[in-house]
Amino acid sequence: MTKILNYLWRFWLLLLAFFLTVSIGIPVYILSFNKKHYKYGYKLVRLWCFGMFYGMGFRYDLIKLSEQEKDKNTPYVFISNHTSIMDIMLVCILSPHHPICFVGKKELVKIPIFGTIYKRICVMVDRASAKSRADVYRRCAEKMEEGNTIAIFPEGGVPDDTSIILDDFKDGAFMLSSKHHSPIAVYTFVGLKEMFPFENSKGYPGRVKVYFNGIIEPTDSPKDLKAEAYETIKKTLIRYSVERK
């Protein structure tokens, strides 16, 4: 019975994603042609994210571990651990005042309908191309000058080994922060790895814990920024594991 329900849940995901992408994606695509209009398109992007996250049965609890507050007029580099594709929805849900621009894999452009919209509103990177990776910083800087916040999952992807608490961080987010003097907003997501994706999970929705770790101010040392961010998120994940036991 559980297996049947799991397959039905998968089918519902496809159905929901298709409906929301077609109905909301078209106006987002149109608004993306004018940089000044993206702030309106982003409201629709968030509507899509709410529809996907809540429509799949997920909920979240926000726990603030810092008294710091994000400035509505400041673009940030948003980072978190990466546990599921649902992390993407959470990032936008948590950022009502900071239009998010994701740095994502070029391969996602191949997804029908979604890919067409994706390449208009995200910074794509071909990880096999050194030129593409190097050009990301320039394109991200342009997006931030337009008032957007850049969202990067520094692990680079969801680790295939579910026993890994936190994979090694790549340098991109921290070089961007250091080079352009952009503060880093640090979050930790807990719970989605056990729920989604289907292959590595119990296969049903629940409540996700979202920890706001605070803001790391930029310095001239990307290496130090990376080390501080990594330790901050890892400590939160370890603390959560201890609390669960």
Side-chain angles (χ1 to χ4, degrees), residues 192-212:
L192 275 170
K193 183 183 288 188
E194 291 77 32
M195 303 173 197
F196 200 91
F198 305 108
E199 297 83 359
N200 306 322
S201 68
K202 59 190 180 184
Y204 56 85
R207 297 196 74 87
V208 180
K209 297 287 186 182
V210 176
Y211 294 90
F212 173 56

Side-chain angles (χ1 to χ4, degrees), residues 157-187:
V158 180
D160 294 326
D161 185 351
T162 56
S163 66
I164 295 176
I165 295 177
L166 188 65
D167 210 348
D168 292 335
F169 280 2
K170 293 178 170 52
D171 297 329
F174 312 101
M175 292 181 68
L176 184 65
S177 170
S178 180
K179 185 175 181 179
H180 298 285
H181 309 289
S182 302
I184 303 172
V186 185
Y187 286 81

